[in-house]
Amino acid sequence: SQTIHQWPATLVQPVGSPLSLECTVEGTSNPNLYWYRQAAGRGLQLLFYSVGIGQISSEVPQNLSASRPQDRQFILSSKKLLLSDSGFYLCACRTGLAGVSYNEQFFGPGTRLTVL
Amino acid sequence: AQSVAQPEDQVNVAEGNPLTVKCTYSVSGNPYLFWYVQYPNRGLQFLLKYITGDNLVKGSYGFEAEFNKSQTSFHLKKPSALVSDSALYFCAEARGGKLIFGQGTELSVKP
């Protein structure tokens, strides 16, 4: 089964600084990859979705961007952080065809980002 | 409009009692439905899913869920709650390769 790694685990950054969060997946190939943000310990917001290398779908307009330079690597970035970017960022992985939905997503341990 | 609803922000149960965490969905046709659990400062863990077939689905840690098409519900259940079941629970519906999550229900099990 797949294992999802995220780093760093926690991050405190000043407003206006850049951001790079990394997610890597082991134990599978050609995964569908997702970035979520969870604010205030509750609701999950899908930020980005990728079905393959270089293929990124943005779900909401925001201050963030995503890239997938390798099959099992997914990076979340920002050029200038805002206070509202604070939250718990989760990477998830799903095997199977892009449009087929019955396979479950598996989640990484998350990155806690605090923007001051 | 929200397609997955968890009507209770919090559910309180005494240890040893049965528990139910409610979820309703709104998609027409045959939905793919999931339950996840999240412990504090951790990622989500998959519990179970309904794809097709038997309406009662069994999952991890003794949890089960009942799919009810006429009521468009997919409630999570456990016959005997444990203190260690205290966590945040999410219901989700799959759509187009993505998951639509409910807002989550905080389950608190007291000894």
Side-chain angles (χ1 to χ4, degrees), chain A residues 34 42 101 104-105 112, chain B residues 36 38 41 49 90 97 103:
Chain A
Y34 306 81
R42 189 53 71 98
S101 299
E104 56 271 27
Q105 291 184 19
R112 174 76 59 191
Chain B
Y36 287 83
Q38 185 181 30
N41 295 309
K49 67 180 177 182
F90 289 98
Q103 65 269 41

Side-chain angles (χ1 to χ4, degrees), chain A residues 24-92:
Chain A
T24 58
V25 179
E26 294 179 351
T28 188
S29 58
N30 302 315
N32 300 281
L33 296 175
Y34 306 81
W35 277 112
Y36 292 88
R37 177 169 58 205
Q38 186 176 31
R42 189 53 71 98
L44 289 157
Q45 180 185 35
L46 178 62
L47 301 176
F48 299 97
Y49 169 35
S50 173
V51 301
I53 296 173
Q55 300 179 65
I56 310 293
S57 295
S58 176
E59 294 299 306
V60 291
Q62 58 209 322
N63 184 42
L64 302 169
S65 62
S67 62
R68 186 169 174 177
Q70 300 180 44
D71 181 48
R72 288 173 287 179
Q73 184 184 30
F74 202 24
I75 297 172
L76 184 69
S77 303
S78 174
K79 293 181 179 178
K80 289 186 177 181
L81 284 168
L82 305 173
L83 287 173
S84 56
D85 292 323
S86 293
F88 192 49
Y89 288 82
L90 290 161
C91 179

Side-chain angles (χ1 to χ4, degrees), chain B residues 28-98:
Chain B
S28 59
N30 298 314
Y32 300 144
L33 300 166
F34 301 78
W35 275 103
Y36 287 83
V37 60
Q38 185 181 30
Y39 296 97
N41 295 309
R42 305 286 292 274
L44 277 66
Q45 295 179 34
F46 169 73
L47 283 177
L48 51 81
K49 67 180 177 182
Y50 173 80
I51 304 301
T52 187
D54 195 348
N55 289 342
L56 186 63
V57 179
K58 294 187 183 296
S60 305
Y61 313 121
F63 283 94
E64 58 189 28
E66 185 170 10
F67 173 67
N68 187 318
K69 191 168 185 176
S70 64
Q71 297 184 6
T72 62
S73 67
F74 188 55
H75 300 334
L76 182 70
K77 300 180 180 183
K78 188 173 183 179
S80 179
L82 300 173
V83 172
S84 58
D85 292 330
S86 298
L88 185 59
Y89 289 80
F90 289 98
C91 180
E93 174 197 334
R95 189 178 298 174
K98 295 176 255 187

Side-chain angles (χ1 to χ4, degrees), chain A residues 3 10 17 19 40 44 46 52 56-57 88 113 115:
Chain A
T3 302
T10 60
S17 63
L19 174 73
L44 289 157
L46 178 62
I56 310 293
S57 295
F88 192 49
L113 172 65
V115 183

